[in-house]
Amino acid sequence: MKTYNLFYAVMALLIIGCNKSDDGNDSDQPKNEASDYSILIDSGDMLSGKLLTANASEFEINTGVSVFKTVTKPQLTFESAGVLSMYSKNTDCSGNVVVYDFNENTSENYTVFNDMPSCSRRASAILHTDSAIYIAYVDDISEEESNYFVRIVDISTTAPSFVDVEVEQQPFDLAFANNRLFVLTFNEKSSDDFKILAIKADTFDIILSMNLDIGAKRIFSNPDGNIVIAYPNLHGTLNSSTMAVAYTKYGEGTEPNFFQSRFRRFDAAGKMYYDVPSGSHSTYPTVAAIYDFDTNGSVLYAYENFLTETQRNFEYEIKSTTAVAYDEKNNLLLVGYSKSGAGNKGGMLRIKLSAKPELIDNLDLEGAPYAFFIK
């Protein structure tokens, strides 16, 4: 079943810096609570961790031991509710997933591929829940023939086991809601054949195979427990119970482009924080953004509108945005950026969200922020 309910996003884009604007938050009431930040730092080929303790007005380096050790950058990542999973291919024939829980400061390493002698698998997406790891992959039989699977690794026991669920087309993104795994697929031999599947997490049965419009880019779950299907010029919201889809089409020039972001974070009100290509709205290629699914409105935070030219070009040497998060305790937008100078340096800006955004402070870092985790 494919149900279309089409809504047009009116006034879907707002650039912060206009005389009058809504910053995506309902209150300017001051907040000042202690928060812990875990920052993953990209220094080129490697990722490392740094800990901060912060409130609304200041921060300090936390000398505690981070659960995140220095590692090679992974091939695939997935993040949900402060837990990050990272897939790395160890050899041509093996791969592992490390799950970092930044809420509990723990990590677990799972071998997910070491059972096939052909060494012909290509992992394309991963996802984790409390009890399982899901890996979408392609098994190339020959240059002309491939098989497609989702591997489900049960991590709820001391001896993890797995099941491979075969699918018809190449899987390239995953989402989870209502005890169902949703799989976005496309036909490698036909550019106009996209589908979304639903697999029951307890029985591994495929209970949905729905054709989609051409050009679907990403899927992810929203705070309501439904699935967002992201396209360049619209998005669909698939009800994870009824499987009906409602589509929201953007006005020309107002596309939020959240499908291009590595990570997307939601606050308690359901607003989403992410990094986005700036287009004609900034001289910097990527900026921070907030999208409100209730109003279908985007707010873009162009550096030109809350930093002076001296701050941008000389004091902070901003090149582009690399990570975005929201400190909800203190109503602060965290913006990670790379620097334009020599090396792989970067920094973090903290911006107070109000009708007129206010820079609180900056932290120079030995690399560009890859992700923020806040508790």
Side-chain angles (χ1 to χ4, degrees):
M1 178 177 65
K2 189 176 183 183
T3 302
Y4 288 85
N5 295 315
L6 189 62
F7 301 94
Y8 283 83
V10 179
M11 183 51 190
L13 181 64
L14 180 65
I15 310 302
I16 279 295
C18 299
N19 292 331
K20 184 177 181 181
S21 61
D22 175 7
D23 68 299
N25 289 268
D26 297 328
S27 174
D28 287 343
Q29 295 298 316
K31 298 181 178 182
N32 192 15
E33 299 183 33
S35 293
D36 293 320
Y37 300 169
S38 294
I39 309 175
L40 304 193
I41 300 172
D42 182 351
S43 56
D45 294 329
M46 307 297 291
L47 297 178
S48 58
K50 181 179 286 291
L51 302 177
L52 301 180
T53 299
N55 58 30
S57 59
E58 60 186 1
F59 63 81
E60 62 181 10
I61 304 299
N62 187 326
T63 58
V65 178
S66 172
V67 66
F68 193 88
K69 310 303 179 184
T70 300
V71 298
T72 303
K73 287 170 68 173
Q75 281 78 50
L76 301 168
T77 59
F78 175 79
E79 186 272 337
S80 177
V83 182
L84 173 70
S85 53
M86 305 173 69
Y87 169 81
S88 298
K89 189 175 182 179
N90 298 329
T91 68
D92 287 343
C93 307
S94 65
N96 73 292
V97 171
V98 183
V99 180
Y100 299 94
D101 187 334
F102 293 96
N103 303 306
E104 302 296 332
N105 203 40
T106 61
S107 66
E108 295 289 343
N109 193 328
Y110 301 95
T111 298
V112 293
F113 290 129
N114 68 353
D115 55 292
M116 293 183 181
S118 65
C119 305
S120 58
R121 289 158 301 187
R122 293 181 281 124
S124 53
I126 64 167
L127 181 146
H128 69 260
T129 64
D130 290 341
S131 60
I133 295 172
Y134 301 87
I135 310 100
Y137 73 93
V138 180
D139 188 12
D140 293 316
I141 306 303
S142 66
E143 292 185 2
E144 294 78 24
E145 183 181 0
S146 298
N147 293 327
Y148 311 109
F149 299 92
V150 176
R151 174 159 294 191
I152 303 172
V153 183
D154 182 358
I155 59 173
S156 64
T157 65
T158 56
S161 58
F162 70 87
V163 172
D164 280 335
V165 177
E166 187 167 6
V167 297
E168 294 181 356
Q169 300 184 145
Q170 178 171 340
F172 67 98
D173 207 8
L174 303 172
F176 194 90
N178 197 24
N179 202 38
R180 295 164 177 177
L181 178 72
F182 292 84
V183 186
L184 185 59
T185 73
F186 77 101
N187 188 334
E188 286 186 295
K189 299 178 182 179
S190 174
S191 60
D192 61 353
D193 189 359
F194 288 78
K195 291 183 178 181
I196 188 167
L197 312 179
I199 302 172
K200 290 191 68 175
D202 51 355
T203 64
F204 316 128
D205 294 326
I206 297 176
I207 59 172
L208 172 74
S209 179
M210 179 189 295
N211 292 324
L212 294 176
D213 291 334
I214 299 170
K217 299 295 185 181
R218 300 293 302 269
I219 56 174
F220 56 90
S221 58
N222 66 18
D224 295 328
N226 297 315
I227 303 299
V228 177
I229 308 168
Y231 295 80
N233 63 342
L234 57 85
H235 72 262
T237 303
L238 185 151
N239 186 301
S240 64
S241 297
T242 67
M243 305 301 179
V245 184
Y247 283 93
T248 300
K249 185 175 176 59
Y250 315 128
E252 185 177 356
T254 66
E255 300 87 350
N257 291 316
F258 47 71
F259 71 90
Q260 299 189 55
S261 182
R262 180 192 302 118
F263 299 117
R264 294 159 299 276
R265 309 293 178 77
F266 289 92
D267 65 14
K271 297 185 178 87
M272 187 173 67
Y273 300 74
Y274 62 104
D275 59 282
V276 64
S278 63
S280 62
H281 305 298
S282 173
T283 58
Y284 298 88
T286 308
V287 297
I290 303 174
Y291 187 78
D292 188 335
F293 284 91
D294 290 335
T295 64
N296 299 316
S298 288
V299 181
L300 270 61
Y301 287 81
Y303 292 105
E304 293 91 335
N305 294 321
F306 58 87
L307 296 177
T308 67
E309 183 177 1
T310 298
Q311 287 175 317
R312 300 193 311 268
N313 296 337
F314 300 104
E315 188 173 351
Y316 305 140
E317 299 181 287
I318 294 172
K319 181 179 180 181
S320 189
T321 302
T322 60
V324 174
Y326 179 53
D327 179 352
E328 192 155 7
K329 291 181 181 179
N330 297 295
N331 192 31
L332 297 177
L333 181 70
L334 274 57
V335 181
Y337 64 91
S338 58
K339 288 182 178 287
S340 58
N344 296 301
K345 304 297 184 181
M348 176 192 71
L349 301 172
R350 298 200 306 159
I351 310 298
K352 180 182 178 182
L353 294 179
S354 60
K356 185 177 180 180
E358 176 188 349
L359 173 66
I360 301 300
D361 46 36
N362 171 78
L363 173 64
D364 289 330
L365 295 165
E366 57 271 26
Y370 182 85
F372 298 110
F373 296 89
I374 302 169
K375 69 174 182 178

Short mmCIF file of all heavy atoms in Angstrom, two decimals, residues 113-155:
data_model
loop_
_atom_site.label_atom_id
_atom_site.label_comp_id
_atom_site.label_asym_id
_atom_site.label_seq_id
_atom_site.Cartn_x
_atom_site.Cartn_y
_atom_site.Cartn_z
N PHE A 113 31.92 -9.83 10.34
CA PHE A 113 32.24 -10.59 9.12
C PHE A 113 33.54 -11.35 9.35
O PHE A 113 34.59 -10.74 9.57
CB PHE A 113 32.42 -9.68 7.91
CG PHE A 113 31.17 -9.03 7.41
CD1 PHE A 113 31.12 -7.66 7.20
CD2 PHE A 113 30.04 -9.78 7.12
CE1 PHE A 113 29.97 -7.06 6.73
CE2 PHE A 113 28.89 -9.18 6.65
CZ PHE A 113 28.86 -7.82 6.47
N ASN A 114 33.47 -12.66 9.30
CA ASN A 114 34.69 -13.49 9.26
C ASN A 114 34.35 -14.91 8.85
O ASN A 114 35.14 -15.82 8.98
CB ASN A 114 35.43 -13.51 10.60
CG ASN A 114 34.65 -14.24 11.69
OD1 ASN A 114 33.50 -14.63 11.49
ND2 ASN A 114 35.29 -14.42 12.84
N ASP A 115 33.13 -15.09 8.27
CA ASP A 115 32.60 -16.43 8.05
C ASP A 115 32.59 -16.86 6.59
O ASP A 115 32.33 -18.02 6.30
CB ASP A 115 31.16 -16.49 8.56
CG ASP A 115 30.30 -15.41 7.93
OD1 ASP A 115 30.54 -14.23 8.24
OD2 ASP A 115 29.40 -15.75 7.14
N MET A 116 32.87 -15.93 5.64
CA MET A 116 32.80 -16.29 4.23
C MET A 116 34.19 -16.28 3.61
O MET A 116 34.97 -15.35 3.81
CB MET A 116 31.90 -15.31 3.47
CG MET A 116 30.44 -15.36 3.86
SD MET A 116 29.47 -14.22 2.83
CE MET A 116 27.85 -14.46 3.53
N PRO A 117 34.52 -17.30 2.84
CA PRO A 117 35.85 -17.35 2.25
C PRO A 117 36.00 -16.52 0.98
O PRO A 117 37.11 -16.29 0.52
CB PRO A 117 36.01 -18.84 1.91
CG PRO A 117 34.62 -19.32 1.65
CD PRO A 117 33.74 -18.54 2.60
N SER A 118 34.89 -16.02 0.43
CA SER A 118 34.99 -15.36 -0.88
C SER A 118 35.54 -13.95 -0.81
O SER A 118 36.05 -13.42 -1.79
CB SER A 118 33.61 -15.33 -1.54
OG SER A 118 32.72 -14.51 -0.78
N CYS A 119 35.42 -13.31 0.35
CA CYS A 119 35.94 -11.96 0.56
C CYS A 119 35.34 -10.97 -0.45
O CYS A 119 36.03 -10.05 -0.91
CB CYS A 119 37.47 -11.93 0.45
SG CYS A 119 38.29 -13.09 1.56
N SER A 120 34.09 -11.16 -0.80
CA SER A 120 33.49 -10.36 -1.86
C SER A 120 32.39 -9.43 -1.34
O SER A 120 31.59 -8.93 -2.12
CB SER A 120 32.90 -11.28 -2.93
OG SER A 120 31.92 -12.15 -2.37
N ARG A 121 32.35 -9.18 -0.04
CA ARG A 121 31.26 -8.39 0.53
C ARG A 121 31.60 -6.91 0.58
O ARG A 121 32.74 -6.53 0.84
CB ARG A 121 30.94 -8.88 1.94
CG ARG A 121 30.27 -10.23 1.99
CD ARG A 121 30.45 -10.88 3.33
NE ARG A 121 31.88 -11.04 3.63
CZ ARG A 121 32.33 -11.70 4.68
NH1 ARG A 121 31.49 -12.24 5.52
NH2 ARG A 121 33.62 -11.81 4.88
N ARG A 122 30.58 -6.09 0.34
CA ARG A 122 30.71 -4.64 0.45
C ARG A 122 29.62 -4.15 1.40
O ARG A 122 28.44 -4.16 1.06
CB ARG A 122 30.54 -3.97 -0.92
CG ARG A 122 31.64 -4.26 -1.91
CD ARG A 122 31.39 -3.52 -3.24
NE ARG A 122 30.40 -4.20 -4.07
CZ ARG A 122 29.30 -3.63 -4.54
NH1 ARG A 122 29.02 -2.36 -4.20
NH2 ARG A 122 28.47 -4.30 -5.33
N ALA A 123 30.00 -3.73 2.59
CA ALA A 123 29.03 -3.20 3.55
C ALA A 123 28.61 -1.80 3.11
O ALA A 123 29.45 -0.99 2.68
CB ALA A 123 29.62 -3.16 4.95
N SER A 124 27.31 -1.50 3.20
CA SER A 124 26.81 -0.22 2.71
C SER A 124 26.09 0.61 3.76
O SER A 124 25.90 1.81 3.57
CB SER A 124 25.85 -0.46 1.53
OG SER A 124 24.83 -1.38 1.89
N ALA A 125 25.69 0.02 4.88
CA ALA A 125 25.03 0.77 5.94
C ALA A 125 25.03 -0.07 7.21
O ALA A 125 25.02 -1.31 7.14
CB ALA A 125 23.59 1.13 5.55
N ILE A 126 25.03 0.60 8.37
CA ILE A 126 24.91 -0.11 9.64
C ILE A 126 23.90 0.61 10.51
O ILE A 126 23.55 1.78 10.29
CB ILE A 126 26.25 -0.22 10.40
CG1 ILE A 126 26.77 1.18 10.79
CG2 ILE A 126 27.26 -0.98 9.59
CD1 ILE A 126 27.90 1.12 11.80
N LEU A 127 23.43 -0.12 11.52
CA LEU A 127 22.50 0.42 12.52
C LEU A 127 22.61 -0.47 13.75
O LEU A 127 22.88 -1.66 13.64
CB LEU A 127 21.08 0.42 11.96
CG LEU A 127 19.95 0.97 12.84
CD1 LEU A 127 18.90 1.67 11.97
CD2 LEU A 127 19.26 -0.14 13.65
N HIS A 128 22.39 0.11 14.91
CA HIS A 128 22.37 -0.70 16.13
C HIS A 128 21.12 -0.38 16.94
O HIS A 128 20.54 0.71 16.84
CB HIS A 128 23.61 -0.43 16.99
CG HIS A 128 23.62 0.95 17.59
ND1 HIS A 128 24.35 1.99 17.05
CD2 HIS A 128 22.96 1.49 18.66
CE1 HIS A 128 24.15 3.08 17.76
NE2 HIS A 128 23.31 2.81 18.74
N THR A 129 20.70 -1.35 17.74
CA THR A 129 19.72 -1.16 18.80
C THR A 129 20.36 -1.69 20.08
O THR A 129 21.54 -2.08 20.08
CB THR A 129 18.40 -1.90 18.51
OG1 THR A 129 18.67 -3.32 18.50
CG2 THR A 129 17.83 -1.48 17.16
N ASP A 130 19.61 -1.74 21.16
CA ASP A 130 20.16 -2.27 22.40
C ASP A 130 20.51 -3.75 22.28
O ASP A 130 21.39 -4.24 22.98
CB ASP A 130 19.17 -2.09 23.55
CG ASP A 130 19.00 -0.64 23.95
OD1 ASP A 130 19.89 0.18 23.61
OD2 ASP A 130 17.97 -0.31 24.58
N SER A 131 19.83 -4.47 21.38
CA SER A 131 19.99 -5.92 21.33
C SER A 131 20.58 -6.45 20.03
O SER A 131 20.85 -7.65 19.93
CB SER A 131 18.64 -6.60 21.57
OG SER A 131 17.71 -6.20 20.57
N ALA A 132 20.79 -5.60 19.03
CA ALA A 132 21.24 -6.12 17.74
C ALA A 132 22.05 -5.08 16.97
O ALA A 132 21.93 -3.87 17.19
CB ALA A 132 20.06 -6.57 16.89
N ILE A 133 22.88 -5.58 16.06
CA ILE A 133 23.59 -4.77 15.08
C ILE A 133 23.12 -5.23 13.71
O ILE A 133 23.01 -6.44 13.45
CB ILE A 133 25.11 -4.92 15.20
CG1 ILE A 133 25.60 -4.36 16.53
CG2 ILE A 133 25.83 -4.23 14.05
CD1 ILE A 133 27.06 -4.66 16.81
N TYR A 134 22.82 -4.28 12.84
CA TYR A 134 22.35 -4.57 11.49
C TYR A 134 23.37 -4.02 10.49
O TYR A 134 23.78 -2.87 10.59
CB TYR A 134 20.99 -3.93 11.25
CG TYR A 134 19.91 -4.38 12.20
CD1 TYR A 134 19.73 -3.74 13.44
CD2 TYR A 134 19.08 -5.44 11.89
CE1 TYR A 134 18.75 -4.17 14.32
CE2 TYR A 134 18.09 -5.87 12.76
CZ TYR A 134 17.94 -5.23 13.98
OH TYR A 134 16.96 -5.65 14.86
N ILE A 135 23.76 -4.87 9.53
CA ILE A 135 24.70 -4.46 8.50
C ILE A 135 24.12 -4.80 7.13
O ILE A 135 23.85 -5.98 6.83
CB ILE A 135 26.07 -5.17 8.65
CG1 ILE A 135 26.60 -5.07 10.07
CG2 ILE A 135 27.08 -4.58 7.65
CD1 ILE A 135 26.37 -6.31 10.89
N ALA A 136 23.89 -3.79 6.31
CA ALA A 136 23.47 -4.01 4.94
C ALA A 136 24.72 -4.24 4.09
O ALA A 136 25.69 -3.51 4.22
CB ALA A 136 22.70 -2.81 4.42
N TYR A 137 24.68 -5.27 3.23
CA TYR A 137 25.87 -5.52 2.42
C TYR A 137 25.53 -6.19 1.10
O TYR A 137 24.44 -6.74 0.91
CB TYR A 137 26.89 -6.35 3.21
CG TYR A 137 26.57 -7.82 3.42
CD1 TYR A 137 27.04 -8.80 2.54
CD2 TYR A 137 25.82 -8.24 4.52
CE1 TYR A 137 26.77 -10.14 2.75
CE2 TYR A 137 25.55 -9.57 4.74
CZ TYR A 137 26.03 -10.52 3.84
OH TYR A 137 25.76 -11.86 4.05
N VAL A 138 26.50 -6.11 0.20
CA VAL A 138 26.42 -6.71 -1.13
C VAL A 138 27.47 -7.81 -1.21
O VAL A 138 28.62 -7.62 -0.80
CB VAL A 138 26.69 -5.66 -2.23
CG1 VAL A 138 26.61 -6.30 -3.61
CG2 VAL A 138 25.72 -4.50 -2.11
N ASP A 139 27.07 -8.96 -1.74
CA ASP A 139 28.01 -10.06 -1.98
C ASP A 139 28.16 -10.22 -3.49
O ASP A 139 27.23 -10.67 -4.17
CB ASP A 139 27.49 -11.35 -1.34
CG ASP A 139 28.51 -12.48 -1.40
OD1 ASP A 139 29.68 -12.19 -1.73
OD2 ASP A 139 28.14 -13.63 -1.14
N ASP A 140 29.30 -9.81 -4.01
CA ASP A 140 29.54 -9.85 -5.45
C ASP A 140 29.96 -11.26 -5.87
O ASP A 140 31.06 -11.72 -5.56
CB ASP A 140 30.62 -8.85 -5.84
CG ASP A 140 30.16 -7.42 -5.62
OD1 ASP A 140 29.02 -7.11 -5.98
OD2 ASP A 140 30.96 -6.61 -5.09
N ILE A 141 29.07 -11.93 -6.59
CA ILE A 141 29.35 -13.28 -7.08
C ILE A 141 30.28 -13.22 -8.29
O ILE A 141 31.20 -14.02 -8.45
CB ILE A 141 28.05 -14.01 -7.45
CG1 ILE A 141 27.08 -13.99 -6.25
CG2 ILE A 141 28.34 -15.44 -7.88
CD1 ILE A 141 27.64 -14.59 -4.99
N SER A 142 30.03 -12.27 -9.16
CA SER A 142 30.86 -12.06 -10.35
C SER A 142 30.68 -10.60 -10.76
O SER A 142 29.99 -9.83 -10.09
CB SER A 142 30.41 -12.99 -11.49
OG SER A 142 29.10 -12.65 -11.94
N GLU A 143 31.29 -10.20 -11.87
CA GLU A 143 31.13 -8.84 -12.35
C GLU A 143 29.70 -8.54 -12.75
O GLU A 143 29.27 -7.39 -12.74
CB GLU A 143 32.07 -8.58 -13.52
CG GLU A 143 33.55 -8.58 -13.15
CD GLU A 143 34.42 -8.19 -14.32
OE1 GLU A 143 33.87 -7.90 -15.40
OE2 GLU A 143 35.66 -8.17 -14.17
N GLU A 144 28.96 -9.57 -13.13
CA GLU A 144 27.59 -9.38 -13.59
C GLU A 144 26.54 -9.72 -12.54
O GLU A 144 25.37 -9.36 -12.69
CB GLU A 144 27.32 -10.26 -14.83
CG GLU A 144 28.11 -9.89 -16.07
CD GLU A 144 29.55 -10.39 -16.02
OE1 GLU A 144 29.80 -11.39 -15.28
OE2 GLU A 144 30.41 -9.79 -16.67
N GLU A 145 26.90 -10.41 -11.48
CA GLU A 145 25.91 -10.93 -10.54
C GLU A 145 26.29 -10.60 -9.11
O GLU A 145 27.44 -10.78 -8.69
CB GLU A 145 25.76 -12.44 -10.70
CG GLU A 145 24.69 -13.05 -9.79
CD GLU A 145 24.59 -14.55 -9.95
OE1 GLU A 145 25.35 -15.12 -10.76
OE2 GLU A 145 23.75 -15.16 -9.26
N SER A 146 25.29 -10.12 -8.35
CA SER A 146 25.48 -9.83 -6.93
C SER A 146 24.26 -10.28 -6.15
O SER A 146 23.14 -10.30 -6.68
CB SER A 146 25.69 -8.32 -6.70
OG SER A 146 26.85 -7.86 -7.36
N ASN A 147 24.48 -10.66 -4.91
CA ASN A 147 23.40 -10.94 -3.98
C ASN A 147 23.40 -9.88 -2.89
O ASN A 147 24.45 -9.31 -2.54
CB ASN A 147 23.57 -12.33 -3.35
CG ASN A 147 23.40 -13.44 -4.37
OD1 ASN A 147 22.62 -13.32 -5.32
ND2 ASN A 147 24.12 -14.54 -4.19
N TYR A 148 22.21 -9.63 -2.30
CA TYR A 148 22.06 -8.52 -1.36
C TYR A 148 21.47 -9.05 -0.05
O TYR A 148 20.52 -9.83 -0.05
CB TYR A 148 21.15 -7.45 -1.96
CG TYR A 148 21.55 -7.06 -3.36
CD1 TYR A 148 20.77 -7.43 -4.45
CD2 TYR A 148 22.71 -6.33 -3.58
CE1 TYR A 148 21.14 -7.08 -5.74
CE2 TYR A 148 23.09 -5.98 -4.87
CZ TYR A 148 22.30 -6.36 -5.94
OH TYR A 148 22.66 -6.02 -7.22
N PHE A 149 22.03 -8.57 1.06
CA PHE A 149 21.64 -9.08 2.37
C PHE A 149 21.62 -7.97 3.41
O PHE A 149 22.27 -6.93 3.27
CB PHE A 149 22.63 -10.16 2.85
CG PHE A 149 22.73 -11.37 1.97
CD1 PHE A 149 23.68 -11.42 0.96
CD2 PHE A 149 21.87 -12.44 2.14
CE1 PHE A 149 23.79 -12.53 0.15
CE2 PHE A 149 21.98 -13.56 1.34
CZ PHE A 149 22.93 -13.61 0.33
N VAL A 150 20.89 -8.24 4.50
CA VAL A 150 21.04 -7.53 5.75
C VAL A 150 21.44 -8.56 6.80
O VAL A 150 20.71 -9.54 7.01
CB VAL A 150 19.76 -6.81 6.17
CG1 VAL A 150 19.95 -6.17 7.55
CG2 VAL A 150 19.37 -5.77 5.14
N ARG A 151 22.59 -8.36 7.40
CA ARG A 151 23.02 -9.26 8.48
C ARG A 151 22.53 -8.71 9.81
O ARG A 151 22.75 -7.53 10.13
CB ARG A 151 24.54 -9.40 8.49
CG ARG A 151 25.07 -10.21 9.68
CD ARG A 151 26.45 -10.75 9.45
NE ARG A 151 26.43 -11.75 8.37
CZ ARG A 151 27.46 -12.55 8.09
NH1 ARG A 151 28.58 -12.46 8.79
NH2 ARG A 151 27.37 -13.42 7.10
N ILE A 152 21.86 -9.57 10.58
CA ILE A 152 21.32 -9.21 11.88
C ILE A 152 22.12 -9.96 12.94
O ILE A 152 22.05 -11.19 13.02
CB ILE A 152 19.83 -9.55 11.99
CG1 ILE A 152 19.05 -8.85 10.86
CG2 ILE A 152 19.28 -9.16 13.35
CD1 ILE A 152 17.60 -9.27 10.76
N VAL A 153 22.91 -9.22 13.72
CA VAL A 153 23.77 -9.82 14.74
C VAL A 153 23.12 -9.62 16.10
O VAL A 153 22.93 -8.48 16.56
CB VAL A 153 25.17 -9.18 14.73
CG1 VAL A 153 26.07 -9.86 15.75
CG2 VAL A 153 25.79 -9.26 13.33
N ASP A 154 22.76 -10.69 16.75
CA ASP A 154 22.16 -10.66 18.08
C ASP A 154 23.26 -10.43 19.11
O ASP A 154 24.13 -11.29 19.29
CB ASP A 154 21.43 -11.97 18.35
CG ASP A 154 20.73 -12.00 19.71
OD1 ASP A 154 20.85 -11.01 20.46
OD2 ASP A 154 20.08 -13.02 20.01
N ILE A 155 23.25 -9.28 19.77
CA ILE A 155 24.28 -8.98 20.78
C ILE A 155 23.70 -9.00 22.19
O ILE A 155 24.31 -8.49 23.13
CB ILE A 155 24.94 -7.62 20.50
CG1 ILE A 155 23.89 -6.49 20.51
CG2 ILE A 155 25.69 -7.64 19.17
CD1 ILE A 155 24.49 -5.09 20.41
#
